[in-house]
């Protein structure tokens, strides 16, 4: 069963274009073991392993994806793109320093101002298969592995899961909400806040 999740990182470097848009080059996720909250309030540890997030499938899925202001409650598609998209990622996604990087351009004036005002974390919304599989990554135990990761959108958020390494830079604490066969999850790291289910 495919699950949708949210993952986070930081914006550090950005450049304003002659038109007033904001272009940034950021890491959007990294390998690690992260907590995700179940519907009953308990937490399960899920691994995002290098062979998954650095696969061609995941790298290519980061290209030409909408940039949003926070996470919408639904996947971004052609039907709601105009409502949620505030920019677009470029086609230069690649792996550097054990992180998945991509450039993106923010075209929405209000969101650009929020970035200038300090809203600098990046969080990816993505679909994945979550497989029951125990193990350890970098000394951290996990109960599940995220497989077949496909990025749906890239959000600018107040907090993210990948940690301060992934902000405009981060992965985070998790919340999840069921939506049919999908789960929408958001991870938070800097302040360590976790949110429960939401719809």
């Amino acid at each position: 069963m495919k699950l949708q999740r949210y993952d986070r990182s930081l914006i550090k470097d950005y450049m304003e274009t002659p038109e007033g848009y904001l272009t940034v080059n950021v890491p959007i996720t990294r390998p690690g073991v992260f907590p995700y909250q179940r519907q009953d309030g308990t937490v399960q540890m899920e691994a995002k392993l290098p062979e998954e997030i650095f696969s061609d499938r995941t790298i290519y899925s980061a290209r030409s994806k909408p940039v949003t202001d926070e996470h919408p409650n639904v996947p971004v598609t052609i039907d709601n793109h105009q409502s949620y998209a505030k920019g677009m990622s470029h086609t230069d996604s690649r792996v550097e320093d054990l992180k998945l990087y991509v450039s993106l351009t923010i075209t929405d004036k209000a969101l650009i101002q929020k970035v200038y005002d300090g809203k600098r974390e990046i969080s990816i919304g993505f679909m994945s298969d979550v497989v029951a599989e125990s193990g350890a990554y970098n000394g951290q135990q996990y109960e599940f592995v995220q497989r077949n990761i496909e990025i749906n959108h890239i959000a600018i958020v107040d907090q993210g899961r990948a940690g301060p390494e992934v902000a405009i830079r981060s992965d985070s604490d998790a919340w999840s909400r069921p939506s049919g066969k999908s789960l929408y999850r958001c991870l938070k790291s800097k302040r360590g806040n976790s949110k429960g289910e939401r719809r």
Side-chain angles (χ1 to χ4, degrees), residues 45-77:
M45 302 304 292
E46 297 181 13
K48 187 179 280 85
L49 300 175
E51 61 264 30
E52 292 297 331
I53 63 170
F54 299 151
S55 68
D56 287 345
R57 176 183 193 146
T58 302
I59 292 171
Y60 294 151
S61 76
R63 299 176 180 178
S64 302
K65 290 301 165 67
V67 176
T68 63
D69 185 0
E70 296 293 333
H71 286 290
N73 290 332
V74 294
V76 182
T77 68

Side-chain angles (χ1 to χ4, degrees), residues 33 119 171:
V33 178
K119 187 170 187 173
D171 262 350

Side-chain angles (χ1 to χ4, degrees), residues 133-166:
E133 182 180 321
S134 298
Y137 178 76
N138 282 352
Q140 290 184 287
Q141 299 293 317
Y142 58 81
E143 309 159 274
F144 297 86
V145 176
Q146 296 174 359
R147 303 285 188 194
N148 304 316
I149 297 167
E150 296 180 0
I151 296 169
N152 173 263
H153 62 275
I154 302 170
I156 311 297
V157 298
D158 288 320
Q159 272 192 74
R161 172 176 303 266
E165 295 183 358
V166 185

Side-chain angles (χ1 to χ4, degrees), residues 53 111 117 187:
I53 63 170
L111 182 54
D117 291 342
L187 316 176

Side-chain angles (χ1 to χ4, degrees), residues 5-9 28-37 43-50 53 98 124 126 130 137 140-146 149 160-166 170-174 185-189:
R5 292 179 162 37
Y6 301 135
D7 224 15
R8 303 193 184 194
S9 128
I28 57 173
T29 192
R30 61 178 175 82
V33 178
F34 305 105
Y36 288 82
Q37 186 168 309
V43 172
Q44 65 187 35
M45 302 304 292
E46 297 181 13
K48 187 179 280 85
L49 300 175
I53 63 170
L98 274 179
I124 57 171
F126 61 97
V130 177
Y137 178 76
Q140 290 184 287
Q141 299 293 317
Y142 58 81
E143 309 159 274
F144 297 86
V145 176
Q146 296 174 359
I149 297 167
R161 172 176 303 266
E165 295 183 358
V166 185
S170 139
D171 262 350
S172 53
D173 295 342
R185 292 193 170 178
C186 191
L187 316 176
K188 313 223 175 207
S189 68

